[in-house]
Each structure stands twice: as C-alpha cells, then as structure tokens.
Amino acid sequence: MTSPEEVLQGLYDETLVGNAPRVLELTEEGLALGMEPQTLLFDALIPSLEEVGARFERGDFFVPEMLIAGKAMAGAMERLRPLLAETGVETVGKFVMGTVKGDVHDIGKNLVNIMLEGAGFEVIDLGVQVAPEKFVAAIEEHQPDIVGFSAFLTTTMPMFKANLNALEKAGIRDQVIVMVGGAPVTQEYADAVGADGYAADASATVKRAKDLLSQKRAKVPA
C-alpha cells in the first residue's frame, strides 16, 4: 500500500512529466487512504505545476511539456473539483475567459485555464469566437474579479478594444480587471487598448492575475 508521503511525491513527479494516467491513479490512491483533496492539490499538484512554470521561464521546458503537465493536472482536477466544492475550499477569485470573436485558437487559453484552476481560481471558460456582447453577459451573470481576452491572430487583436468598449457601454468596465494575452500580443499593445494586465505565458498569467487582484482588493475599503 502506498503511503500518503509516497502519494504526494508521486503526484508531484508524475504531474511534472505529464503522466496523466498515473496522476489519476495516485489521486484515487490518495483519496482511498483518506487524504484530503486540498492536501493533494496544495501539497503536490500546485507545487508541481509551479515548477513546470518555473522551468518554462528558464527555458528548460517548452510549450509541449507545459501542455502535457497541464493535461495531467486537469485530469486530477476533474476528480477533485466536486470534492473541493464540498469542503468549501476558498477560491482565490473568479475568472471569465474567452478567445475573441474571429479567432478559434484555444490551446494557449486552455493551458492558462488549467494553471488558473490549479492556483485556486474559479474559471468560467466561454470558449472561442466570443463576441463582445457574450463577454458582457457573462460578466453580468458571474460577477467575476477578472475577465481574460485571448487572441492568437494579429487580425483579431483589435477585438480587445471592441470588447473594452462594450464593457464601457454596459457600465461594467470598472467592476472587473481586464487581462489580455496571446501569441502576438505585447505589453505595449495591452497598454494601448486600455487593458489592466498582460502576461506572455500561462505561468506569468497566474502571477499577474494574483497581483492585480491583491492590488484591487487593497484599494477596496473594508
């Protein structure tokens, strides 16, 4: 029988190399041992994904390694999510995410979603080809802390401005932090369209989202 320590070490190691079937097996073993879902998440899965992000930033890992590690983590999250909801684990914040209208690319967005979920965010993914009015409706419905616009094509980047204008028009621009990202997007472009935040990759998105959220919450009088 595997010990709890072995389960945690195994989850960390196997997530790192993206061994999805083994990660799911170990998740089940941990639960069978009576381990808390949040222990599996915070003591093994999240630290492993953080290490993946750190290796990516150092140039030791590339996008394929990040994707397979993210997928391995996503499989475990599917099993743990309902259990975590039952235990009332505090979410860091709520994040509405979508690829902008005219763009059907979602690999980067999906990877960011997995990293955000792993970091404790509740993610509402609107998918691809998301029109400005759909973002507005989702913000009004879910009241997120942050909304993320993703674009992979230079031709769809102008949709960031269209989306921001739609939020202004709906009177909800000030209620939500706006983050933008995608392969062709730069910090300069994000600043030019009036976004609150930009991140170059999935692990940077998580850090930036947490920073922006803590800044926003620090301004709100208690």
Side-chain angles (χ1 to χ4, degrees), residues 39-187:
T39 303
L40 302 176
L41 186 62
F42 293 112
D43 294 356
L45 293 164
I46 289 177
S48 185
L49 217 54
E50 284 171 347
E51 176 59 24
V52 170
R55 290 186 186 190
F56 179 78
E57 283 171 13
R58 289 198 303 268
D60 298 333
F61 268 20
F62 299 97
V63 169
E65 285 93 342
M66 278 188 90
L67 277 173
I68 61 166
K71 280 187 176 156
M73 164 110 180
M77 282 299 294
E78 266 178 40
R79 179 72 180 87
L80 294 175
R81 196 178 291 118
L83 303 172
L84 290 163
E86 281 169 27
T87 55
V89 169
E90 191 66 33
T91 57
V92 176
K94 207 184 271 194
F95 204 117
V96 162
M97 173 72 91
T99 301
V100 297
K101 189 175 177 182
D103 208 320
V104 295
H105 293 85
D106 67 354
I107 290 177
K109 169 182 69 64
N110 293 348
L111 182 57
V112 170
N113 289 349
I114 292 165
M115 298 282 275
L116 286 167
E117 282 206 330
F121 280 91
E122 180 190 341
V123 179
I124 297 110
D125 183 8
L126 304 180
V128 298
Q129 290 261 33
V130 184
E133 54 272 21
K134 196 170 172 189
F135 276 116
V136 169
I139 291 164
E140 288 174 340
E141 180 187 345
H142 298 287
Q143 304 284 308
D145 301 287
I146 306 175
V147 62
F149 305 143
S150 171
F152 188 78
L153 306 168
T154 47
T155 51
T156 56
M157 281 164 55
M159 287 308 299
F160 291 162
K161 190 67 186 156
N163 289 343
L164 280 156
N165 290 344
L167 301 192
E168 289 275 2
K169 202 170 157 193
I172 54 175
R173 171 64 187 96
D174 296 339
Q175 292 171 24
V176 69
I177 296 164
V178 174
M179 290 188 71
V180 297
V185 187
T186 60
Q187 183 65 60

